[in-house]
Every structure is written in structure tokens, then in C-alpha cells.
Amino acid sequence: MVETGKAGDEGPRDRRKTRHLFWKEGKLSMIRRAGEVAPTFAVTLGDAAAAGADILRLAIAAGFNERSPIHGWGDGAVWIEDQRERPFGARCKDPVDFFHVCDYFEAAKVCAAHDPNWIERQKDCLKTDRLSAVLTALAPFQEPDSVPSEQAPVRGGYRDLINRPGQFDYTEIGNKRL
């Protein structure tokens, strides 16, 4: 984001010289009905509740009702799951999108240091609902608890996988989306 100063009492000034750059998260929501190509989007710079309101508003506008099945894709952030669960409850499947799951493997390159096919094998395990095999493969490479979390990518990836039961069932949803 860019914010510039305002012209003061001393007259107009070059606002480019007063610019302030800062980061702000935008939360993007998208709804697409099954069998349709064109999605509808909303974006907010607000909080999680504002994004949740966008999701509900888009769903209602798309004709979703209390019997509509919902498949929500996200990066695994707990707030996203919470905001989908509020309006849709248990009928909302909330898998972590495959791209973000693969980030866990990129962070765990130490596991693949001597095995160039390690990451691809783990991806294949996830695509075929063998999460337990992935956890088994990660387990021996976990950093000890004495290592700070920000320096423990394998332990962090393992924790993220084990703490999201049911969010990696890609065969139920369909591998065509992977």
C-alpha cells in the first residue's frame, strides 16, 4: 500500500516525497457453482469477519441454500476454515489446496537432500490419500524441540499436516483439481 502526505498550509508540495509504503493483507473470496466456469469474486482489506461476510454474500448471490454442498479451498489458515464453518457448518469440505500443502515439502528440503525423488513421492502419497506415509517419511527428520520454531521447517510441516485431519482427502474431491 502507498500512502502520501497531504498538501499543508505552506501550499502544495510534491506528495511523492511524502509517500509511506506499508503492507496490508487483502482477503480474496471466490464462489463458483459446480459445472460453471465463471466465478464471482470479492476482496476486502478488513478482518476475517469481513471476509466471512463476503463468502456468505457471494454464496447467497450464486443461489446456494441450506442443502448446497460447499467445497472451500484455502491455504490452511484456521481463520479461513472458521469463516466458512460459520455459515455453512459441517457440509463445507475445507481442504488445504495442494499448492500450499506442497509448500510444506519445500520447507523440508533437508529430507530430500540425498533423494531427489523424495518430494515427488510425498506428493503422490497425498494425491492417493496416504497421509500416514507422508508423516512417516517426515518423522525422522523433525528438528528437536530445542530448535526454535522459525528454524524448524520439518517439525512445522509435520505439525501442520497432523493438526488438520480430513483436510487432505484429495481423492474424495477429485485429483482433477490438483
Side-chain angles (χ1 to χ4, degrees):
M1 304 288 293
V2 178
E3 188 174 73
T4 59
K6 297 178 182 169
D9 294 333
E10 70 280 353
R13 28 177 214 188
D14 186 349
R15 290 178 46 196
R16 294 175 297 175
K17 294 180 180 177
T18 64
R19 75 178 178 184
H20 169 68
L21 303 176
F22 60 97
W23 179 89
K24 193 165 188 178
E25 179 182 48
K27 295 171 182 67
L28 178 69
S29 301
M30 180 196 88
I31 292 286
R32 183 181 59 81
R33 287 187 285 206
E36 292 187 7
V37 176
T40 304
F41 295 93
V43 67
T44 182
L45 296 176
D47 61 8
D54 280 347
I55 293 168
L56 180 57
R57 181 179 51 78
L58 290 173
I60 291 169
F64 286 79
N65 61 46
E66 59 277 347
R67 293 184 310 271
S68 300
I70 308 288
H71 292 278
W73 292 88
D75 64 4
V78 173
W79 73 264
I80 295 173
E81 182 181 358
D82 290 346
Q83 291 305 316
R84 281 197 215 124
E85 189 173 300
R86 281 193 176 113
F88 307 120
R91 64 193 170 96
C92 181
K93 304 285 185 191
D94 197 37
V96 176
D97 73 85
F98 196 72
F99 174 81
H100 281 92
V101 174
C102 292
D103 279 350
Y104 301 151
F105 300 138
E106 294 305 317
K109 286 185 177 183
V110 66
C111 306
H114 302 291
D115 183 353
N117 298 318
W118 187 91
I119 292 174
E120 289 307 313
R121 281 197 314 276
Q122 304 322 306
K123 289 178 183 180
D124 182 60
C125 285
L126 277 176
K127 287 180 183 180
T128 55
D129 289 337
R130 293 181 288 147
L131 177 60
S132 61
V134 174
L135 294 171
T136 299
L138 284 170
F141 296 100
Q142 288 189 81
E143 300 84 358
D145 289 339
S146 59
V147 175
S149 293
E150 58 275 356
Q151 296 172 9
V154 180
R155 190 176 72 224
Y158 186 92
R159 180 198 60 235
D160 287 347
L161 289 169
I162 207 157
N163 286 338
R164 292 181 168 83
Q167 289 187 286
F168 307 107
D169 188 5
Y170 299 114
T171 56
E172 179 183 330
I173 296 160
N175 283 324
K176 67 180 181 242
R177 296 185 185 199
L178 306 177

